[in-house]
Amino acid sequence: MEIFNYMEKYDYEQLVFCQDKASGLKAIIAIHDTTLGPALGGARMWTYATEDQAIEDALRLARGMTYKNAAAGLNLGGGKTVIIGDPFKDKNEEMFRALGRFIQGLNGRYITAEDVGTTVTDMDLIHEETDYVTGISPTFGSSGNPSPVTAYGVYLGMKAAAKEAFGVDHLEGRTVAVQGLGNVAYTLCEYLHKEGAKLVVTDINKKAVERVVKDFNAVAVDPDDIYKQDVDIFSPCALGAIINDETIPQLKAKVIAGSANNQLKDSKHGQIIHELGIAYAPDYVINAGGVINVADELYGYNRERAMKRVETIYDSISKIFEISKQEGIPTYLAANRLAEERIARVSKSRKQFLRNGKNILNGR
């Protein structure tokens, strides 16, 4: 790929290549935008087929974090680390400590966290070399597992989407199809069950399905059948790109609200579901509870304060529907608009401050 052309097109600030021969570390740190504050984004470890794929993933994910953090109201920019390697075979202590030293060298421009293929233990190793890491063990003052907090945010965002679609935000008596039953989805099902919602669920992990069926009286269906269920709400909590040409014609739900990342296979699918009248809660806004939670660690973690901030997801989703209606645009574009306008306001304010400072120094 033509790296500088790509960076210029989407206005990236920095791309850092990290190599440590002794540990086998090969990592890429992408910093997209620090207008709102230091770039925050997790460290992902994956077996990329090519180095170009790893670079592209780092850049794409970093940009996504800029929008997620901005829309969540955080004073943080967007960044990401990708580590090239098999997370089940290639990890060692030296690798993550080396990465920690590279992050330390950025002097706070980038803060990392747990992501796909990395764990709290890995973050603890990074923490041996730098303070610019979140999601570490609770013994170091961390918040611990962010999944329950992410689930709470998704639950609140779903209620906001339900209000848009049905006129009321209570979920009692509503039927929700949940795709994927990992840690976040399990807690989400618990919230929904307690409110009196009916659950239709699926997962390739049969034990996960059995657990939810037993605990929450859910109805299980085959993975391929989840899209066509006669439900009020479809909640994708597993794979990305699942709103696509094949699945949209099957959907009967009036709301799409779930924790999965990158739910739209293409932007055109956001336009299609908008025209169909489906209330879509944009994924990077509704699933921001986890990043809100770990961001609170930067101030000395306070769970009550973090949960109060997570509760603003309801307001953010409501605001996105308002923008969508006012401007006649799909909600995924409305979410982008919300994030971009916040960044623009802060950028303008900062430039004005600097301009005023120069005027004072020049005696004007």
Side-chain angles (χ1 to χ4, degrees):
M1 64 182 300
E2 295 182 346
I3 295 175
F4 278 108
N5 285 343
Y6 189 97
M7 292 179 70
E8 183 179 8
K9 180 179 179 180
Y10 295 108
D11 201 17
Y12 287 85
E13 295 180 9
Q14 193 171 2
L15 192 63
V16 182
F17 293 88
C18 310
Q19 186 275 144
D20 181 69
K21 186 175 181 179
S23 66
L25 174 71
K26 291 181 174 62
I28 301 151
I29 301 172
I31 298 175
H32 176 245
D33 188 287
T34 59
T35 300
L36 299 178
L40 173 67
R44 173 172 297 195
M45 188 170 186
W46 198 251
T47 50
Y48 294 94
T50 67
E51 291 179 0
D52 275 355
Q53 285 184 10
I55 295 167
E56 186 175 0
D57 204 29
L59 290 166
R60 179 182 59 83
L61 292 167
R63 184 166 174 258
M65 288 305 301
T66 294
Y67 281 81
K68 174 175 279 194
N69 293 336
L74 300 174
N75 295 318
L76 294 164
K80 205 76 174 183
T81 295
V82 300
I83 304 167
I84 300 173
D86 188 332
F88 301 104
K89 297 179 181 178
D90 299 333
K91 287 184 180 181
N92 58 67
E93 176 183 354
E94 296 78 12
M95 172 183 292
F96 288 98
R97 294 192 65 155
L99 178 60
R101 292 191 292 273
F102 282 114
I103 292 170
Q104 179 65 22
L106 291 170
N107 293 316
R109 278 178 52 76
Y110 169 70
I111 303 164
T112 197
E114 183 182 347
D115 202 281
V116 174
T118 60
T119 66
V120 171
T121 300
D122 301 329
M123 297 306 108
D124 286 349
L125 292 172
I126 292 172
H127 187 243
E128 292 290 334
E129 303 289 344
T130 184
D131 288 332
Y132 301 120
V133 54
T134 60
I136 53 181
S137 297
T139 52
F140 295 118
S142 168
S143 57
N145 182 7
S147 296
V149 186
T150 302
Y152 182 56
V154 174
Y155 168 66
L156 294 176
M158 184 182 293
K159 288 172 73 68
K163 186 173 183 180
E164 175 65 22
F166 309 121
V168 292
D169 69 1
H170 64 75
L171 301 174
E172 182 179 5
R174 297 290 176 194
T175 305
V176 184
V178 182
Q179 180 190 44
L181 298 171
N183 292 333
V184 172
Y186 178 86
T187 306
L188 174 62
C189 288
E190 185 175 14
Y191 279 117
L192 295 172
H193 178 68
K194 285 181 178 178
E195 190 168 338
K198 302 172 185 177
L199 297 171
V200 179
V201 301
T202 196
D203 195 292
I204 58 173
N205 184 334
K206 292 184 178 180
K207 288 186 178 180
V209 173
E210 291 170 359
R211 183 187 181 199
V212 172
V213 168
K214 177 183 175 183
D215 292 352
F216 308 128
N217 197 31
V219 175
V221 298
D222 289 336
D224 290 341
D225 293 335
I226 194 68
Y227 306 103
K228 60 187 178 184
Q229 297 302 307
D230 189 9
V231 299
D232 300 299
I233 300 168
F234 173 54
S235 185
C237 297
L239 302 174
I242 48 77
I243 306 300
N244 54 53
D245 290 338
E246 290 73 36
T247 61
I248 290 174
Q250 300 180 56
L251 293 174
K252 298 177 182 178
K254 294 298 182 184
V255 171
I256 299 174
S259 65
N261 289 310
N262 305 313
Q263 294 170 23
L264 302 175
K265 185 172 183 180
D266 189 89
S267 58
K268 71 175 184 179
H269 299 116
Q271 179 67 42
I272 292 170
I273 59 176
H274 172 70
E275 292 172 357
L276 290 172
I278 297 174
Y280 167 59
D283 45 48
Y284 70 79
V285 181
I286 196 173
N287 69 14
V291 72
I292 292 171
N293 192 58
V294 296
D296 195 80
E297 295 176 21
L298 302 174
Y299 307 98
Y301 185 67
N302 181 294
R303 183 172 176 80
E304 183 179 354
R305 179 178 62 202
M307 296 302 280
K308 285 285 186 184
R309 176 61 69 86
V310 172
E311 288 172 1
T312 64
I313 289 176
Y314 182 103
D315 300 322
S316 296
I317 295 295
S318 299
K319 178 65 175 177
I320 286 166
F321 283 118
E322 182 182 327
I323 294 171
S324 174
K325 287 186 290 187
Q326 287 177 349
E327 302 190 18
I329 57 176
T331 53
Y332 84 91
L333 282 180
N336 291 352
R337 187 75 51 85
L338 188 71
E340 290 164 355
E341 287 180 353
R342 181 166 181 253
I343 293 169
R345 287 196 304 271
V346 172
S347 179
K348 181 179 180 181
S349 174
R350 182 174 293 171
K351 289 177 181 178
Q352 184 63 47
F353 177 80
L354 293 173
R355 191 179 299 116
N356 290 343
K358 288 180 180 180
N359 288 340
I360 291 172
L361 289 173
N362 293 330
R364 297 179 187 174

